């Protein structure tokens, strides 16, 4: 047959080799939303998005709903026939928006704020349309190479040397899992190949982190087959920082017991109090003991873009791996976690498999396929939104905002310190303040103070204007105010303090 | 102080307790893109998205670029000052779009197509703006409860009983990791607590899947600390389906060797040839041997929305867990993987940790916190885009599209069968055809055939009109045509066949 022929059985089957439904007039029954409808719909959706963000303070930060009350508002079974977009967007406005926790609300000061900046949202929009799967270079040349560029940009902004290479993952949980998988591999037991179980030659592996470390470290130990029993919590000092002497003792005791220490995780900005482990002293021990040193700076790391805050991080450049989450305090829409590593080849050993159908055949140059460094194969094109927002803010613009949040939090902290019946419960190295109300009548009754502060936080949260979360520090209930939302202004921080006063007066009365 | 007081040190510090930069006139230096700029910018971005999708066929499906050629187009260091959006979008058009693999292109027939439908993209847009972290009920009541609704909708659309509960994860890699972590837990060795290493009481664990199983299963074994050595590949029959007799023998041999079989993975739609393991026979063995049965239907599962295809799946309702990826063949933007499980409490045992700062205190009813069922803490609000696209297409609309792709692929398969010098290398249970060109001159030289077909695929891919991928079947190079793009019309499938003819004529000549 010649090159202009129709497919071979076309003539036999009639003009159209496909079934009658292939009639172009009916094609939309098989295809996507048509392009013009998409364009008009997307403009409509933009107005919904912009209205939401512009009017975000109309919503309660935390909605007043009870668990189980929302699901019954939706049909229990899927619709058989499609609905027009207007009906769907009406339901979105009616059922979705008011039942969301308003992370974008400037009064959101709970957990660690994770806000989506304007340029970050624009990045997500383009990401959805260009629809890359950045698992292989071949499946997304731009996704792969721009990721390398953005990882380099972030590394430089954080003041880290070019010995660190890395990738973007979904969450700090994944980044820290990669770190500990690499540590497991670096221990020389061929864990990826042989596993850690059923081997008389492999002792119990041990991973160290402070009592204040994030739950994701312990969870990574569970995931990786080390078990919670392999996770050793090291005592912290009275400012919630890992005690290097306690770390050294724990390692010594474990070696004496025949266990195999493989990694230590230093936290730079713990989740409860944002304390900063003394990473230089920990790095000394890690080097001496040949442990993988992972720095969990998922929250605090963003502050390293500020030269004046770098002293807190001194020594982190000696870590084997570091995680910093742009989706926490760099205004990037969830998800985006930066994993940096001095020994990325070890991470690759832990996760690389190259079956035939994923191999790139037609290119001579070496190709980086990022899936080889992480548990998942499929990968979103996360570099795009980061590229866009770094371009739009500039590093200087990011710095000004992070610096501003630190100022706001320290001002709040000053109010707590100056108020007679309030007590700050931890230092404020970043932009999170832990404190409690301690009225004289119950000042020495810890159980009563816990109940009192829980009630007080609840009263503030029920106003819907401000949303706070809590933790326990030395067993005491601590209210947390975390400033990190790119929309938070001074008036919101003032309002939080005001509402706490109101609540304290009322709850106490 | 009274409730209307200013913060305590406000008077002392001047009218504004914050530093002078808090002047509202300068506030935008600290805040997000202002709302009006965001609205205008987002409309601008929508036109860029719509232009891209409308003109997608102007782009080569796979761009003609070499590895390492793209990164140097971007500055090696991040910008200190921000750029206007117009400059960023110009660069997007100039540097990003032409260097992307065009997954949205109707000529994309490589791997498994993963397209983002219009309503799915609209869903991602809203997801970015409402910015939920669906890790806890409290951090997203709607994210949590709508996920329950959508999981139920998908389960029903797939024809599965309500004994299956589940969640949405990022990828099949994660879903299958959860499945095998649950299997590890179900083996009664308290793996999450005690780990699988350093324990004389724990034998080698064994996981079974066919030689055709996806690499994510082997990678999950690596991640979970079982090691590649724990992954047992079971022989397949001449249609690439797991042989139940070989599975039974492998289990028997392992038990005799003192190993502990814990799970078997049946693949319903393998990545190479989309073969379907005989899951009913495998379920019999799993039940008898007390193994966790996981059904990897990441690709093929979408076809279960068609009643006429259900026979292929008979027996999967007996699995302990199932993965189906809406981001593969249900037109959902990456990422979205559905994990269904009969014993979700076991998955929870494998991953649950509830530290104080994540506890919900003020609600009486039990709360579902989805992070307790998966490796990651942070979670995107994936239910929203699925809700929107199921609403917009209706289940019937999804069915018509999946059915259409199967028809197109079977028509293509008919052409291969009818053409004298072409050879189909596997059955076509879904919408993927594996085949090769086998011209008489080299018909009995397997090495020459491999080279010939690799060259032929490369020639087609270099046209930019169609993008195909390959695999090996019984050691033979097989070209794959996978129809699953929601924008693919009959003319694209015809064109693929035409280009293959052209290439065969030219490469062979």
């Amino acid at each position: 047959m010649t090159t202009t022929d129709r497919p071979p059985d076309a003539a036999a089957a009639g003009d159209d080799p496909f079934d009658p439904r292939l009639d172009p007039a009916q094609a939309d029954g098989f295809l996507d939303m048509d392009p013009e409808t998409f364009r008009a719909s997307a403009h409509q959706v933009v107005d919904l998005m912009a209205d939401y963000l512009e009017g975000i303070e109309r919503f309660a930060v935390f909605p007043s709903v009870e668990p189980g009350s929302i699901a019954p508002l939706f049909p229990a079974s899927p619709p058989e026939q499609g609905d027009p977009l207007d009906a769907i967007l009406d339901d979105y406005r009616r059922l979705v928006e008011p039942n969301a926790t308003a992370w974008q609300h400037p009064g959101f000061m709970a957990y660690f704020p994770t806000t989506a900046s304007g340029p970050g949202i624009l990045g997500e929009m383009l990401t959805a349309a260009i629809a890359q799967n950045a698992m292989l270079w071949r499946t997304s040349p731009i996704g792969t190479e721009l990721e390398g560029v953005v990882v380099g940009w972030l590394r430089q902004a954080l003041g880290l040397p070019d010995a660190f290479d890395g990738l973007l993952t979904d969450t700090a949980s994944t980044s820290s899992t990669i770190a500990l998988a690499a540590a497991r591999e670096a221990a020389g037991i061929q864990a990826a190949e042989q596993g850690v179980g059923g081997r008389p030659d492999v002792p119990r592996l041990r991973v160290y982190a402070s009592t204040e470390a994030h739950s994701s470290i312990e969870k990574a130990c569970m995931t990786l087959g080390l078990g919670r029993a392999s996770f050793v919590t090291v005592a912290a000092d009275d400012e919630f920082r890992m005690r290097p002497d306690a770390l050294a003792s724990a390692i010594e005791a474990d070696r004496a017991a025949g266990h195999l220490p493989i990694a230590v995780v230093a936290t730079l900005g713990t989740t409860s109090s944002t304390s900063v482990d003394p990473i230089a002293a920990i790095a000394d021990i890690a080097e001496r003991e040949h442990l993988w040193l992972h720095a969990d700076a998922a929250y605090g790391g963003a502050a390293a873009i500020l030269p004046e805050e770098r002293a807190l991080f001194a020594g982190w450049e000696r870590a084997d791996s570091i995680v910093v989450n742009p989706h926490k305090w760099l205004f990037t829409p969830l998800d985006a976690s930066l994993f940096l590593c001095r020994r990325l080849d070890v991470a690759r050993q832990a996760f690389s498999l190259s079956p035939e159908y994923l191999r790139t055949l037609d290119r001579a140059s070496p190709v980086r396929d990022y899936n080889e460094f992480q548990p998942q194969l499929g990968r979103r094109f996360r570099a795009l939104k980061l590229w866009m927002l770094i371009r739009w803010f500039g590093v200087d613009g990011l710095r000004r905002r992070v610096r501003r949040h630190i100022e706001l939090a320290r001002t709040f902290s000053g109010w707590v310190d100056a108020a007679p019946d309030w007590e700050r419960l931890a230092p404020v190295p970043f932009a999170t303040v832990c404190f409690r109300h301690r009225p004289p009548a119950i000042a020495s009754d810890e159980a009563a103070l816990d109940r009192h502060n829980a009630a007080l936080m609840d009263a503030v949260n029920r106003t819907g204007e401000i949303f706070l979360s809590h933790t326990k520090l030395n067993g005491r209930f601590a209210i947390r105010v975390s400033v990190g939302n790119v929309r938070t202004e001074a008036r919101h921080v003032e309002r939080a303090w005001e509402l706490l006063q109101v609540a304290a007066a009322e709850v106490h009365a």
Side-chain angles (χ1 to χ4, degrees), chain A residues 318-392:
Chain A
R318 295 165 61 194
D320 295 286
S321 57
I322 296 175
V323 54
V324 176
N325 274 11
H327 75 214
K328 278 200 176 65
W329 200 7
L330 291 173
F331 322 127
T332 310
L334 193 80
D335 49 9
S337 175
L338 172 68
F339 177 70
L340 290 172
C341 189
R342 282 179 173 277
R343 303 162 69 185
L344 206 54
D345 55 313
V346 184
R348 192 176 178 283
Q349 280 170 39
F351 291 109
S352 178
L353 274 174
S354 286
E356 185 66 23
Y357 50 81
L358 296 179
R359 233 165 247 170
T360 295
L361 295 182
D362 58 354
R363 292 295 181 279
S365 345
V367 161
R368 171 166 282 189
D369 292 331
Y370 276 113
N371 80 85
E372 294 187 86
F373 302 90
Q374 62 168 42
Q376 303 101 324
L377 174 59
R379 306 180 77 242
R380 301 211 306 136
F381 181 13
R382 298 188 185 93
L384 183 58
K385 60 188 173 186
L386 278 158
W387 172 73
M388 287 188 66
L389 74 88
I390 296 171
R391 286 285 304 270
W392 195 83

Side-chain angles (χ1 to χ4, degrees), chain A residues 11 39 58 75 138 140 142 154 174 176 186 200 300 383 403 432 462 464 505:
Chain A
R39 190 184 299 264
R58 289 181 295 115
R138 189 173 178 77
S140 185
I142 183 66
L154 288 167
T174 297
S176 292
R403 185 178 285 135
T432 302
R462 282 181 191 275

Side-chain angles (χ1 to χ4, degrees), chain A residues 124-376:
Chain A
E124 282 284 16
M125 291 166 66
L126 291 170
T127 302
I130 204 161
Q132 300 294 284
N133 184 339
M135 59 182 178
L136 306 173
W137 180 85
R138 189 173 178 77
T139 57
S140 185
I142 183 66
T144 301
E145 301 204 21
L146 190 56
E147 184 158 333
V149 170
V150 164
V151 166
W153 285 11
L154 288 167
R155 176 187 61 70
Q156 294 167 64
L158 296 169
L160 285 163
D162 63 8
F164 285 94
D165 192 355
L167 61 148
L168 300 171
T169 74
D170 54 348
T171 60
S173 306
T174 297
S175 294
S176 292
T177 297
I178 297 173
L180 295 184
R184 195 181 61 176
E185 214 53 36
I189 54 168
Q190 294 186 288
E193 181 56 36
Q194 294 297 321
V196 294
R199 298 177 62 183
D201 59 316
V202 175
R204 246 194 197 294
L205 308 181
R206 300 291 249 184
V207 172
Y208 307 85
S210 90
T211 49
E212 299 294 309
H214 189 259
S215 58
S216 59
I217 307 303
E218 189 169 359
K219 195 185 248 198
C221 290
M222 295 161 73
T223 301
L224 294 168
L226 311 179
R228 295 175 72 171
S230 71
F231 177 69
V232 183
T233 52
V234 178
D237 65 16
D238 55 7
E239 294 192 348
F240 311 104
R241 299 170 302 201
M242 185 193 287
R243 280 175 38 204
D245 63 312
L247 171 64
S249 307
I251 295 170
E252 194 185 342
D254 275 347
R255 291 212 193 274
H259 302 325
L260 178 60
I262 62 166
V264 54
V265 179
T267 312
L268 308 177
T270 57
T271 307
S272 280
S273 72
T274 73
S275 60
V276 178
D277 287 341
I279 191 163
I282 294 169
D284 289 341
I285 296 171
E287 267 167 31
R288 192 177 68 215
E289 300 282 350
H290 304 290
L291 305 194
W292 186 281
L293 173 57
H294 177 57
D296 176 359
Y299 165 67
I305 66 174
L306 301 176
E308 70 269 27
E309 304 291 335
R310 289 260 168 84
L312 277 173
F313 297 87
W316 77 331
E317 72 284 354
R318 295 165 61 194
D320 295 286
S321 57
I322 296 175
V323 54
V324 176
N325 274 11
H327 75 214
K328 278 200 176 65
W329 200 7
L330 291 173
F331 322 127
T332 310
L334 193 80
D335 49 9
S337 175
L338 172 68
F339 177 70
L340 290 172
C341 189
R342 282 179 173 277
R343 303 162 69 185
L344 206 54
D345 55 313
V346 184
R348 192 176 178 283
Q349 280 170 39
F351 291 109
S352 178
L353 274 174
S354 286
E356 185 66 23
Y357 50 81
L358 296 179
R359 233 165 247 170
T360 295
L361 295 182
D362 58 354
R363 292 295 181 279
S365 345
V367 161
R368 171 166 282 189
D369 292 331
Y370 276 113
N371 80 85
E372 294 187 86
F373 302 90
Q374 62 168 42
Q376 303 101 324

Side-chain angles (χ1 to χ4, degrees), chain A residues 212 237-240 271-273 422-427 433-438 442-455 457 469-480:
Chain A
E212 299 294 309
D237 65 16
D238 55 7
E239 294 192 348
F240 311 104
T271 307
S272 280
S273 72
W422 295 82
E423 181 180 31
R424 187 161 49 78
L425 295 173
V433 188
C434 294
F435 60 96
R436 63 174 176 176
H437 188 228
R438 195 179 176 192
I442 55 169
S444 54
D445 182 344
E446 289 295 338
L449 284 173
D450 284 1
R451 286 192 304 274
H452 173 71
N453 279 277
M457 181 183 82
S469 62
H470 74 286
T471 190
K472 290 224 166 163
L473 292 174
N474 288 332
R476 297 165 181 169
F477 189 99
I479 302 174
R480 288 166 80 263

